[in-house]
Amino acid sequence: MAAEQNTDSLSVKALKDHTDRTEASPSGNRTSFRPRAASIISESGSVASGGPNVKGDLRKMTTQKMVMTGLRKMSIVAKDVLTKRRMSKPAIQLQYENTYKMHPDDGTKFASYRVEEAVRGELEKHLEDMKYDPTKTARLTKQICDKILDKVKDLNFPRYKFVVHVTMGQNGNQGMVEASRCIWDDKTDNYACITYKNASLFAIACIYGMYFE
Amino acid sequence: MDDLQSAEETAFIVDEISNIIKESVEGVIGGNAYQHNKVNQWTSNVVEQCLNQLTKLGKPFKYIVTCVIMQKNGAGLHTASSCFWDNTTDGEMSQFAHFPNMPSSAVVHAD
């Protein structure tokens, strides 16, 4: 509504400017307001000329009540100026409406087997020749965690949130148990768990995928 | 839906969660030494107790609880977690407990 009012006031202003000019110039024909249009464009600093581009913008714009058919070209240019001025202002923060989508679409559900395959390959690639080193393994764990997260994001599960949990340790014949339990929606959420072991270290990667309704 | 609930109810309060994890771990394991035949049950119990307490908080969150119990052997252990979620509404808390013969850690993710 406000937008319409703004445009209307601008087109009214354009009409007034035009009438002022036509009163000044004796001829008052259509071609007289072309130079005025050019000056409006230069004020706003935009590069668009009053040619085919303007017509394209008109199609995108909402229909406005034109003041007079004779002044159509003037009001189109005036609207162009308005949109160009709006673009230079900082973007308004978008608030998304609720989509009421409670389940993922067919084929986009979190598929454990796909994640497992992808992550197992990733783990083997990075850890094949690694030896456990106390100073480096801390950083390596974080790096692997980030890489796995990127890989899972690439697998393209829309509207899913992911948690990747990686545990790495020295292979020292000690006993260890890792357990995990979740409260979530069983129909939409799932997990994938991958273990990797070599002579000097072991790694456990758990990836949880939760649907964001 | 978010307007109906106050900000306090939907916030992820780190202190509460930290207490819950501590109590669950200490309650289940106490001062026991590592026993291979019991460890499975300990981890399940820790995780279950954590989850029960978390659901009692009544917050509109999904929870993931992970517990690791390891025998103290001189071997090193590193844990990392990386999450793709909404930073304003979701959170994570982890506690590391050092028992005489068993280091154990529990991590809670909520979103």
Side-chain angles (χ1 to χ4, degrees):
Chain A
M1 277 301 281
E4 280 179 23
Q5 286 166 8
N6 279 344
T7 335
D8 275 338
S9 63
L10 199 61
S11 52
V12 163
K13 184 182 177 248
L15 166 62
K16 278 187 191 162
D17 286 338
H18 169 70
T19 48
D20 288 342
R21 275 196 78 260
T22 48
E23 274 167 12
S25 65
S27 55
N29 55 7
R30 234 184 229 202
T31 53
S32 67
F33 57 74
R34 261 187 207 262
R36 175 71 188 159
S39 69
I40 288 173
I41 292 168
S42 63
E43 268 172 24
S44 69
S46 65
V47 182
S49 61
N53 286 342
V54 173
K55 285 184 190 163
D57 288 338
L58 176 62
R59 265 187 240 119
K60 289 175 197 170
M61 287 177 207
T62 55
T63 50
Q64 297 283 321
K65 190 181 174 185
M66 302 296 182
V67 178
M68 273 165 68
T69 52
L71 287 167
R72 190 163 288 164
K73 217 162 198 175
M74 174 70 94
S75 40
I76 288 169
V77 171
K79 273 184 206 161
D80 197 36
V81 168
L82 183 65
T83 50
K84 295 277 181 282
R85 277 186 186 155
R86 269 214 212 114
M87 279 189 233
S88 62
K89 283 185 189 166
I92 307 161
Q93 215 177 12
L94 281 177
Q95 277 201 329
Y96 291 96
E97 290 279 313
N98 204 336
T99 58
Y100 299 102
K101 246 179 143 185
M102 300 294 282
H103 302 285
D105 294 328
D106 288 332
T108 60
K109 205 174 158 190
F110 186 84
S112 307
Y113 63 93
R114 277 176 63 201
V115 176
E116 264 188 55
E117 266 179 86
V119 175
R120 197 183 299 277
E122 193 78 16
L123 272 181
E124 278 170 9
K125 192 171 75 174
H126 287 285
L127 298 178
E128 216 177 308
D129 299 323
M130 284 282 178
K131 269 197 169 167
Y132 180 81
D133 185 67
T135 46
K136 291 183 189 166
T137 310
R139 206 169 6 121
L140 180 65
T141 319
K142 283 187 216 163
Q143 279 176 359
I144 285 195
C145 212
D146 290 331
K147 284 191 178 140
I148 292 178
L149 184 63
D150 290 334
K151 192 86 190 187
V152 175
K153 281 200 262 182
D154 287 338
L155 289 175
N156 196 21
F157 295 113
R159 294 179 72 97
Y160 268 89
K161 290 183 180 177
F162 303 114
V163 174
V164 177
H165 187 82
V166 171
T167 308
M168 271 175 69
Q170 191 178 12
N171 196 356
N173 291 323
Q174 76 274 27
M176 189 178 121
V177 176
E178 179 164 332
S180 163
R181 197 178 266 220
C182 318
I183 286 184
W184 58 24
D185 186 353
D186 207 28
K187 294 175 212 157
T188 56
D189 308 328
N190 214 334
Y191 76 98
C193 197
I194 300 104
T195 52
Y196 174 81
K197 198 163 93 167
N198 75 13
S200 65
L201 56 75
F202 68 89
I204 305 170
C206 281
I207 301 107
Y208 309 91
M210 282 145 295
Y211 182 71
F212 180 53
E213 68 216 17
Chain B
M1 183 78 172
D2 286 344
D3 294 337
L4 297 174
Q5 288 169 323
S6 68
E8 284 171 6
E9 282 181 24
T10 55
F12 181 76
I13 299 172
V14 171
D15 296 327
E16 270 183 15
I17 312 263
S18 158
N19 278 336
I20 287 172
I21 302 177
K22 245 190 241 179
E23 283 168 18
S24 306
V25 172
E26 281 169 11
V28 170
I29 302 177
N32 294 330
Y34 184 90
Q35 289 169 55
H36 186 71
N37 49 357
K38 283 194 185 170
V39 179
N40 265 327
Q41 196 169 24
W42 283 341
T43 43
S44 307
N45 286 345
V46 167
V47 164
E48 244 187 83
Q49 266 203 21
C50 268
L51 271 183
N52 283 334
Q53 298 289 323
L54 288 168
T55 44
K56 278 182 193 166
L57 291 175
K59 305 244 169 102
F61 281 119
K62 291 180 179 175
Y63 292 105
I64 299 171
V65 180
T66 308
C67 171
V68 180
I69 298 182
M70 197 176 92
Q71 190 179 14
K72 203 168 172 183
N73 202 20
L77 180 74
H78 301 266
T79 313
S81 97
S82 162
C83 314
F84 180 65
W85 59 23
D86 184 351
N87 268 333
T88 50
T89 53
D90 308 328
E92 183 227 335
M93 181 62 212
S94 68
Q95 273 289 335
F96 183 79
H98 214 275
F99 292 104
N101 291 320
M102 285 190 305
S104 76
S105 84
V107 184
V108 175
H109 298 267
D111 74 333

